[in-house]
Amino acid sequence: MNRSLTSNASILVASDNRSDADVVQRLLSTDYPNTITTIDPDQASADFDQHRPEVLVLVFKELEKSQRYYLGLYRQGCAVQLQPHRTIVLCGKDEIHHAYKLCREGIFDDYTLFWPMTIDSSRLPMSVFLALREQASLRVSTPTAADFAAQVRRIATLEKMLTDQLAQGDNRIDAIGQAVTYATNHAASALENFSQRLIQGNLEDIVAVKSADKLQRELGQLKRDAIEAPLHTLTRSVNPLKQWTNEFREANNTHLESLRTLNSLANTIQPSLLIVDDDEFQHKIINSILKEESYNLMFAAKGSDVFNIVRNSRPDLILMDIMLPDINGVEIVKQIKAVTRLAKIPIIMITGESKKNFIMASLEAGARDIIVKPFVRDILLEKIKYSLDNP
């Protein structure tokens, strides 16, 4: 067994029977020396807050008691709501199907057939080990697929920017060529006009022309040396630049194609959105707005559901109603933002109140933005997209 997972792992055994709690502690303490028991229901929340267990083992003879105890933790304290932990419930053979159902519904994380113990006494330590291994993987702050997709979509904008910049470069090079041609023609025309005025005697008060042929030859040489040669040199200096842009474009075609492929793959990834509202009708409204978008939607109606989903699934964005039946949405935001691995989840508050105090409290708690009901479809979609692309 991996000692790095077991030596410092905190295991909390909760029961209403001292004898059962001691049996489970003895069974686990060999591999998990930091196994603590609690049997006082009045101390349930305090014990959880104090020990912050990675695995909670519920040792009650009836599943209904285990369920009541665990839900009571949510009502009494805050630590259980966001403290990363896995819950293992023990059951007898008559309740095994019920235990399976409760785990499928997300009430517990795993179940172990414990009564009678003779069936498989090592099953529980193994279940704890698997729970710890899963906890260890959650502690590693690895980016989600949606995180990668958001960054790829941002990088993909480089393709358009690069293409636009190269096109502008081509246009400017062409403009330089056109300017050189214009300058050459304009200078030649001006010089020709000057020579004609000299030859025709229009400037005899300044200079007298003794030989028109010699003047034409001298002016032609001047045109070649002072105008055509420098401008020709300038034209030739631009050609390597144009060649470089063509070579650069050709050399990066493969990279740009890879970028297009990455962007195409990123667009297939569905970011997960958690919609929190106690009004089922609001769930339907948001679902109707977002159903055509590439989002994986999850819904919650109360705070305890939010904490359970966030703790186990880590959505990419949360739409949070302020008014919930069991806890204020602003308080949920504060608790989520207080957990390092969850703090970067963007949260948009949804509310029917546009009062300044609601808005300020939400933003101060760490919310990214506010949307006031009734929703304007385009605004909702724009705010969601911006928050996902700029986590």
Side-chain angles (χ1 to χ4, degrees), residues 246 248-260:
N246 291 332
F248 181 83
R249 185 182 287 106
E250 184 67 28
N252 284 278
N253 275 340
T254 301
H255 302 299
L256 292 176
E257 182 59 35
S258 296
L259 196 58
R260 286 189 286 270

Side-chain angles (χ1 to χ4, degrees), residues 9-12 34-38 43-54 79 83:
S10 177
I11 314 298
L12 182 61
N34 192 19
T35 299
I36 306 101
T37 62
T38 176
Q43 283 291 113
S45 180
D47 286 342
F48 193 98
D49 287 359
Q50 177 185 352
H51 299 292
R52 298 294 177 110
E54 294 177 69
Q83 162 68 19

Side-chain angles (χ1 to χ4, degrees), residues 154-204:
R154 294 177 70 179
I155 294 173
T157 61
L158 290 175
E159 179 191 359
K160 184 178 186 305
M161 184 182 73
L162 181 60
T163 302
D164 290 346
Q165 290 295 322
L166 288 174
Q168 289 181 26
D170 289 339
N171 291 336
R172 287 170 182 169
I173 291 171
D174 291 340
I176 291 173
Q178 292 171 9
V180 169
T181 301
Y182 173 79
T184 302
N185 294 336
H186 183 73
S189 177
L191 189 60
E192 178 65 25
N193 181 55
F194 177 69
S195 67
Q196 290 299 319
R197 292 171 65 194
L198 284 174
I199 295 170
Q200 293 171 6
N202 295 337
L203 301 174
E204 61 182 6

Side-chain angles (χ1 to χ4, degrees), residues 260-275:
R260 286 189 286 270
T261 301
L262 277 175
N263 192 41
S264 178
L265 291 173
N267 290 331
T268 66
I269 295 174
Q270 293 186 330
S272 59
L273 273 57
L274 173 59
I275 293 90

Side-chain angles (χ1 to χ4, degrees), residues 114-121:
F114 191 75
W115 292 284
M117 268 190 61
T118 53
I119 293 178
D120 186 356
S121 61

Side-chain angles (χ1 to χ4, degrees), residues 348-364:
I348 299 175
M349 306 303 289
I350 52 178
T351 177
E353 295 282 352
S354 58
K355 296 180 180 177
K356 184 178 180 180
N357 61 323
F358 282 103
I359 296 174
M360 292 304 299
S362 299
L363 297 177
E364 289 173 1

Side-chain angles (χ1 to χ4, degrees), residues 272-278 282-283 286-287 290 296-301 306 309 315 317-321 350 375 384:
S272 59
L273 273 57
L274 173 59
I275 293 90
V276 185
D277 198 307
D278 61 330
Q282 294 297 329
H283 289 189
I286 296 177
N287 184 64
L290 301 180
N296 176 31
L297 303 182
M298 300 179 286
F299 295 90
V306 175
I309 293 172
L317 182 142
I318 301 174
L319 296 177
M320 175 75 68
D321 189 19
I350 52 178
F375 302 114
I384 290 174

